[in-house]
Amino acid sequence: MRSCIPLYCLLLTALLLPPATVHAEDWSDLTPAQQRLLAPLAHSWAGLEKSEQKSFAGIARAYPKLPPDKQQRLREQISTWATLTPEQRHRAREKFTAFSKVPAEKREAVKQMVREQEGKPGNR
């Protein structure tokens, strides 16, 4: 499985954005552009927590302002997130919480350690 650390960036972005001004509880409340970006989540949208829906709607609103390389990475991260099971999402959130507590100057070392662990047999 690919590293969940890039997902931390996705979640961090969601947490740092201001709350959505448009309530996105229904898929139909999203704009067509937001629906295109979030299409990998369409089948599970109704099952997401409202806070998660609002976070993803906020990410989708910020998306047009991102440089092309960041847009591509975000699309990949959303697609990856959509394939995770609820348990994997829960673990990713826990890892994000733990990672966010790591001092900024130590984060790169933690990322490297995770990459090394993922490369070992049986850790994928």
Side-chain angles (χ1 to χ4, degrees):
M1 185 172 109
R2 292 175 61 184
S3 170
C4 287
I5 288 190
L7 292 174
Y8 300 145
C9 297
L10 173 68
L11 294 173
L12 182 59
T13 302
L15 293 173
L16 294 177
L17 289 171
T21 54
V22 175
H23 297 284
E25 288 80 18
D26 293 320
W27 182 256
S28 61
D29 291 336
L30 298 172
T31 67
Q34 289 172 326
Q35 289 179 358
R36 281 191 300 277
L37 176 63
L38 300 175
L41 298 168
H43 69 283
S44 61
W45 186 259
L48 297 177
E49 293 181 19
K50 289 183 182 184
S51 61
E52 195 171 8
Q53 291 174 344
K54 289 178 183 180
S55 292
F56 277 115
I59 289 168
R61 279 196 323 277
Y63 175 81
K65 299 173 189 146
L66 297 174
D69 61 320
K70 301 280 188 202
Q71 288 181 348
Q72 176 62 32
R73 184 168 178 206
L74 184 57
R75 286 191 305 271
E76 291 169 0
Q77 290 172 339
I78 290 171
S79 293
T80 299
W81 186 258
T83 65
L84 298 179
T85 65
E87 176 59 29
Q88 289 170 320
R89 289 179 183 186
H90 178 74
R91 283 195 319 249
R93 286 185 198 100
E94 287 178 340
K95 289 179 180 182
F96 167 76
T97 299
F99 186 72
S100 67
K101 294 177 183 177
V102 173
E105 63 273 5
K106 295 184 180 182
R107 287 187 183 161
E108 193 55 43
V110 170
K111 288 180 188 178
Q112 184 60 37
M113 185 175 62
V114 169
R115 285 185 207 110
E116 290 169 5
Q117 287 296 315
E118 288 179 343
K120 292 183 180 179
N123 287 333
R124 289 185 177 215

